[in-house]
Amino acid sequence: MAPLIGCIADDFTGASDVASSLRAGGVRTLVSFKATRPDNLKDYGAVVFALKSRSIEVKDAIAQSLKALAVCRNIGAARIYFKYCSTFDSTRKGNIGPVIDALLTEMNEKVTIVCPSFPDNERTVYQGYLFVKDRLLSETHMRHHPLNPMSESNLIKWLEYQSESDIEHLPLSVVEEGASAIKKKIAQNVGPQRKIFVVDAINESHLREIAAAADGMALVTGGSALSEYLPQAYRANGLLENEGAAIEFASPLGRTICLSGSCSEMTLNQLENAPSSFPKFQLTPELCVSFDSAVDKAMVWLAKQDETSTPIIYSSANNESLRHSKSVLGDRSSAVFEKILAEIALRSRALGFTKFIVAGGETSGAILTALDVSAVEIGPSVAQGVPITCTSDGEEAFIMKSGNFGGERFFEEAKDALG
């Protein structure tokens, strides 16, 4: 039987996040890191295609997303989910709005919703504005994000900059009336022009009603939190069978390494709180002026670490240090660090490292691409939205987290989970 859900995720940690939510919703889920038909689809109710499309050129993001859509259609997925971050990481030009436009056009669909809310992580949408805890998104650290600075909290305005579709607001008052009211409101406002509804949601019950209202939509877009409730809605109308057999996770032999490119406040906190058994090597901008020198020095340091330790190699830095990095390495400083971390991951295999804990979506994408990992199955979660994943042969395992996910002792907890 073909998977019902084909999910297109705009970065690698986001793919793990949404796959974890789908698994929590009772769906056996595979994550593919290549936009090609996976070899084995038996028993999977969902396939998530992990793209590295969040921060690239708009035309390239559209091309990647449409290629993934074609594969979703090829495997018979009847429902498409486009997943982006709960902080709506994008620029004034895109890439979220243009990708939604392209998917709607290719699918010959006129309507979809935008729902990034993740109440358990204190991301909510009210009156069309995206909040992080009790602050507008544009008043948080996301305003200074090195790739996708979020200077606007009003998602309606932000999408109007990005999208050629009509943007409508679906207010909380309608959401609180339930799924039927949501469906009615959307139906009353659908016309010949493509339309995207920004939906308010501030708690889990709102997400449940939104999912129930979206059960007939061919394309749904949102953060990972909404996706957990879609399987329930699909089962209610007979589209989805019960959960397939969940993976039995067995930790592979070998050592664990932590690689961090995330510059979020939480990741910086987690690095600071890592215990002494997690020795650290920092990739400074001055060191990374020379790719070969940076990699060589990191590998020499790594080879010297005790086999009982869990080394951390990181480029993570605060806002002031990020400005310094740009002054030394230029505007592509993030890409420089990603490339170096990816090469270190590749070479670390020769030292017996088989378990990788990675912080940062762009970093995860670079590392998995360098390691040529084509797909992983989703296992149990270490933290909300952060599952253990393993290759089909069970020889390598990965824990990939978005910057703000996990608690202060994340690295230690992730290492314990991997064994």
Side-chain angles (χ1 to χ4, degrees):
M1 186 173 179
L4 172 70
I5 304 167
C7 180
I8 301 168
D10 68 356
D11 83 339
F12 281 40
T13 54
S16 292
D17 182 12
V18 71
S20 179
S21 291
L22 289 167
R23 187 180 190 272
V27 182
R28 189 175 183 192
T29 303
L30 180 76
V31 177
S32 175
F33 300 111
K34 296 181 178 179
T36 56
R37 184 184 177 95
D39 293 333
N40 180 15
L41 292 172
K42 186 179 179 181
D43 297 329
Y44 291 108
V47 178
V48 179
F49 292 94
L51 307 183
K52 203 169 182 290
S53 60
R54 178 174 295 175
S55 304
I56 61 177
E57 292 295 323
V58 171
K59 62 180 178 58
D60 296 328
I62 290 172
Q64 284 192 24
S65 302
L66 291 180
K67 184 177 180 181
L69 173 63
V71 181
C72 289
R73 287 172 155 178
N74 179 261
I75 64 177
R79 294 291 185 271
I80 305 300
Y81 193 82
F82 173 44
K83 191 274 175 191
Y84 37 79
C85 188
S86 59
T87 47
F88 214 70
D89 297 21
S90 55
T91 67
R92 189 181 175 108
K93 293 194 301 182
N95 293 341
I96 295 173
V99 168
I100 294 175
D101 286 351
L103 293 173
L104 284 170
T105 299
E106 184 67 20
M107 296 172 69
N108 196 27
E109 295 291 329
K110 293 297 184 185
V111 64
T112 191
I113 60 172
V114 158
C115 184
S117 293
F118 197 152
D120 282 352
N121 272 8
E122 299 183 287
R123 274 85 160 156
T124 56
V125 178
Y126 178 61
Q127 294 186 346
Y129 287 82
L130 183 51
F131 289 82
V132 177
K133 298 182 179 179
D134 59 351
R135 298 170 65 193
L136 289 166
L137 176 68
S138 58
E139 296 175 359
T140 71
H141 69 283
M142 286 300 298
R143 186 176 186 88
H144 306 289
H145 192 284
L147 296 175
N148 301 302
M150 295 301 295
S151 58
E152 176 60 69
S153 305
N154 187 320
L155 297 185
I156 299 165
K157 286 184 179 179
W158 205 234
L159 277 170
E160 285 175 343
Y161 295 142
Q162 297 180 7
S163 171
E164 295 180 1
S165 301
D166 287 342
I167 312 300
E168 295 278 349
H169 178 222
L170 207 156
L172 190 64
S173 58
V174 175
V175 174
E176 290 188 326
E177 291 181 35
S180 296
I182 297 170
K183 284 186 176 182
K184 182 178 179 181
K185 175 72 172 179
I186 291 173
Q188 288 174 340
N189 287 274
V190 172
Q193 172 70 6
R194 289 191 315 257
K195 192 156 291 193
I196 300 171
F197 288 86
V198 175
V199 187
D200 285 354
I202 63 175
N203 60 43
E204 297 295 319
S205 66
H206 295 150
L207 295 181
R208 188 178 293 108
E209 295 300 324
I210 294 165
D215 64 348
M217 288 184 179
L219 173 68
V220 178
T221 90
S224 62
L226 177 65
S227 67
E228 184 172 340
Y229 296 99
L230 286 171
Q232 178 183 341
Y234 295 150
R235 286 193 188 92
N237 60 18
L239 290 173
L240 189 65
E241 295 181 352
N242 289 331
E243 178 182 11
I247 184 174
E248 293 292 333
F249 174 77
S251 185
L253 299 174
R255 299 173 63 187
T256 301
I257 185 171
C258 305
L259 299 159
S260 178
S262 165
C263 296
S264 74
E265 291 178 1
M266 179 54 78
T267 298
L268 295 175
N269 222 358
Q270 291 161 344
L271 288 168
E272 186 176 341
N273 281 281
S276 58
S277 56
F278 287 63
K280 300 174 197 153
F281 182 92
Q282 183 178 13
L283 295 168
T284 64
E286 286 78 12
L287 176 61
C288 294
V289 168
S290 167
F291 174 86
D292 291 335
S293 177
V295 173
D296 289 344
K297 288 181 180 179
M299 294 308 300
V300 168
W301 174 86
L302 187 60
K304 292 178 180 178
Q305 302 311 303
D306 189 280
E307 289 193 1
T308 62
S309 69
T310 305
I312 298 176
I313 299 178
Y314 69 100
S315 61
S316 307
N318 60 26
N319 289 332
E320 183 179 347
S321 297
L322 285 174
R323 287 191 288 271
H324 174 64
S325 293
K326 286 188 176 182
S327 71
V328 175
L329 298 172
D331 290 338
R332 298 291 294 165
S333 58
S334 296
V336 171
F337 289 131
E338 288 164 25
K339 186 178 178 183
I340 290 169
L341 284 165
E343 181 65 20
I344 292 167
L346 185 60
R347 294 194 195 183
S348 72
R349 281 173 161 170
L351 298 178
F353 290 95
T354 61
K355 293 174 276 192
F356 301 84
I357 300 169
V358 187
E362 299 296 325
T363 305
S364 296
I367 287 171
L368 287 170
T369 300
L371 296 179
D372 197 28
V373 176
S374 60
V376 292
E377 181 156 5
I378 299 300
S381 293
V382 177
Q384 188 168 44
V386 189
I388 299 173
T389 67
C390 65
T391 54
S392 58
D393 58 14
E395 292 185 359
E396 290 185 324
F398 302 86
I399 294 177
M400 299 169 287
K401 85 171 196 81
S402 295
N404 290 303
F405 283 26
E408 288 188 348
R409 303 194 70 82
F410 170 78
F411 289 109
E412 187 177 5
E413 291 164 356
K415 167 62 170 65
D416 290 345
L418 286 171

